[in-house]
Amino acid sequence: MIWNQKIECMDREQLSVLQTEKLRKTAQKVYENVPFYKQAFDELGVKPDDIKSLDDLQSLPFTVKSDLRDHYPFGLFSAKSEDIVRLHASSGTTGKPTVVGYTARDIKNWGDLMARSFAFAGGNKNSVIQVAYGYGLFTGGLGAHYGAEALGATTIPISGGNTKRQIMLMQDFGTTIIAATPSYMLFMAETMEEMGVDPKSLKLEAGVFGAEPWTEAMRTEIEQRFGILAIDIYGLSEIMGPGVASDCECKCGLHISEDFFLPEIIDPVTLKPLPYGSEGELVFTTIDKDGIPLIRYRTRDITSLNADTCECGRTMVRMQKVLGRSDDMLIIRGVNVFPSQIEGVLMDIAGVSPHYQIVVDRAHNFDRLEVQVEVEGSLFSDEVRRLEELRAKIQADIQTVLGINVKVSLVEPKTIERSMGKAKRVIDNR
Ligand code: DLL
């Protein structure tokens, strides 16, 4: 089902007229209400009225995460405080969180956009949606919650964690769609096995999984273990939260809700825009937000865009599955390494579980990368030779993909700490 056929399948020329109009209004709003933006526009010598077409976007200033932190907590808000009805925040690596505010209209629109994502997963008013993203300052829980209600579905606001209870409710309430991080979904599969529950015996039909990078191999594993459709959902709190983009049943890229968010891909070094199809850093301009509209926000997420009409009929641009972040990219002895590349290798090898951790250390100016990965328990009671063969294979395959030698350690099942939210894949001790 297409939730908003008129918009989601809009002729692209018509769409660009709508986007240009919304962009000009947004530029006016931030120029008038946010001193940070007035100064940034003035420094570049641009005025909101100069915006005549979408090409003029390139003359506008960028926004980065530290700009939000430097104006903590509400300095980049465009709306008056009396009109803000909700705050969310995402934790940074250091110090203060990044705070975002929503007006009542923003909350309504967010629910509507999230409903589009649930519709991608086949959701409708008959669906029973279990929201296993965390509720609280994180946008996952409440974002999915309002989307499920906007859809008219029955919503189960269980939040993350409490895994056995999640499973019981899935059985008893007849959950048809689950919203969770992909790593937590795999943990639920494991817990079901321990409890003697067959994941395929549930009424579950689909899941909307996101908040962290995951590979196609992980998608296949979830789909096969549960017998469901696994949809990728992308978003970030600065731009709105979950529901900025999601893939449809074709699973060939995530449709961005372009009537709200203008995407660009830039070269993260030169900051120059790149054409469709090129990989680079994703940048968003929000064009229909009141609380905290942002101009050219640098997400640090690496992907590419595709503007071809999708088989599903939607015309909205698609972004490729996120490859990683330009800032969690590891540089190991000069080589750029994305955790998702290592995950890709692991998932292609039989007997290896999707639970792994990457530990980086430096000794005598030499970077060492260790991949700790869980393997099937039965292997440990087998001959040592088989374990060693598997270890050597993983090491050789990673060497082929990354071009560097890494240490591989095989560990027993359930040794690596499980997460109820975003998995912590990398421990960088450098
Ligand atoms: O993670 C919002 C969200 C909640 C999205 C639930 C999807 C589902 P933040 O905590 O601000 O917001 O983190 C945003 O998470 O810049 C990406 O690096 C990463 N991320 C989110 N979704 C995906 C995804 C939420 N589907 C940051 N694939 C983003 C890869 C993702 N990375």
Side-chain angles (χ1 to χ4, degrees), residues 30 42 97 158 167 254 288 298 339 417 425:
V30 298
D42 287 348
I158 185 164
I167 295 164
L254 292 81
D288 205 347
R298 293 186 54 188
E417 200 191 334
R425 299 292 195 198

Side-chain angles (χ1 to χ4, degrees), residues 131-150:
V131 181
Y133 288 120
Y135 280 63
L137 287 175
F138 175 54
T139 51
L142 282 161
H145 182 101
Y146 277 63
E149 289 190 352

